Amino acid sequence: MVSSAWTPMVSRRSREFGRPVRILKVLGLRSDQGADRKKRPAFRTVQANSARIVDEWLPVKDWTTGAVKEWHTGAPVPSYWTYDSVPGAGDWLGSSRCSCSLCVFASRRDLLLAVGRRPRLADLYAEVEQARGDNFRPDWRITDLIRHAAHGEAPDPGIVCPDDGPQFTALQDQVRQALKHEPRKKPELARRPGRALCDGCTTPH
């Protein structure tokens, strides 16, 4: 949580100021991106206590997807490459929504695209899933997404991230170390069968 990263600064500044630290959290969430985001007010106070007051502002909440694309045609900051079929294409044929590489809220297409673009990360997710006996989502297993992507059911990734640097190696080591410990809670979702990603196909465990 980003709010946890603020804590040291808040502790120091609140003592200096002798009052709560005021923080403005600006997010690029839009109503078009889902029912929950549509309900979210454009401005609200999300936290208020003796140390901090955090306001949340969604400046592009009512922008349509078309408006965002139009703005980027002349914007000084280009859109992120993951939105395109290949970096620099400007065709908006990549991810429909940019979040975590493999996000539990993503669409089927975006997840299959992400599996193709970051195969090592997908394999690490599958390693966790298999070790813990839990599902990536109640309805989909990451192992099924990988299998469907391998069978040509995913969009052309356009680019494959090797994930061969020290940062990914450190992440992998950290995850594998964590898997040596008992899980903090029982993976109840693993007791349910996963939903197949295509009509009429079977999904082996």
Side-chain angles (χ1 to χ4, degrees):
M1 293 288 290
V2 67
S3 57
S4 299
W6 296 333
T7 300
M9 181 271 291
V10 166
S11 299
R12 184 177 69 255
R13 292 296 187 182
S14 60
R15 288 194 300 269
E16 291 176 5
F17 298 159
R19 60 169 175 78
V21 175
R22 193 105 198 196
I23 298 172
L24 178 62
K25 181 169 67 171
V26 183
L27 299 175
L29 306 182
R30 298 185 297 110
S31 295
D32 278 1
Q33 295 172 324
D36 288 342
R37 296 187 177 192
K38 188 173 184 178
K39 295 175 186 175
R40 209 159 172 161
F43 186 89
R44 62 175 177 163
T45 299
V46 294
Q47 186 179 15
N49 55 41
S50 60
R52 70 181 80 181
I53 299 172
V54 182
D55 296 320
E56 179 184 271
W57 180 36
L58 313 180
V60 296
K61 179 181 186 295
D62 296 325
W63 283 33
T64 63
T65 301
V68 173
K69 292 178 180 179
E70 183 180 355
W71 181 83
H72 271 291
T73 59
V77 180
S79 59
Y80 192 52
W81 67 264
T82 193
Y83 288 112
D84 294 334
S85 57
V86 293
D91 54 14
W92 299 90
L93 295 177
S95 303
S96 64
R97 177 174 156 186
C98 187
S99 182
C100 303
S101 294
L102 289 161
C103 176
V104 294
F105 298 112
S107 67
R108 175 185 184 274
R109 180 190 177 280
D110 280 1
L111 286 171
L112 290 172
L113 179 62
V115 166
R117 286 182 165 178
R118 300 199 65 187
R120 286 197 70 192
L121 181 64
D123 287 343
L124 186 59
Y125 272 58
E127 194 173 326
V128 174
E129 190 177 72
Q130 291 164 11
R132 288 297 190 230
D134 207 346
N135 293 345
F136 170 69
R137 249 169 60 167
D139 48 356
W140 294 339
R141 286 182 289 268
I142 200 74
T143 48
D144 296 333
L145 290 164
I146 293 171
R147 180 170 57 86
H148 281 265
H151 290 171
E153 298 173 37
D156 183 347
I159 182 172
V160 178
C161 301
D163 282 326
D164 56 1
Q167 292 173 327
F168 186 86
T169 300
L171 171 65
Q172 190 176 55
D173 291 344
Q174 185 178 22
V175 168
R176 288 175 175 170
Q177 187 63 34
L179 290 176
K180 295 178 181 179
H181 303 291
E182 288 294 318
R184 287 178 292 178
K185 62 179 180 179
K186 293 182 179 180
E188 297 298 334
L189 294 177
R191 310 296 176 251
R192 308 176 188 174
R195 186 183 65 176
L197 299 180
C198 61
D199 294 334
C201 67
T202 57
T203 309
H205 287 278

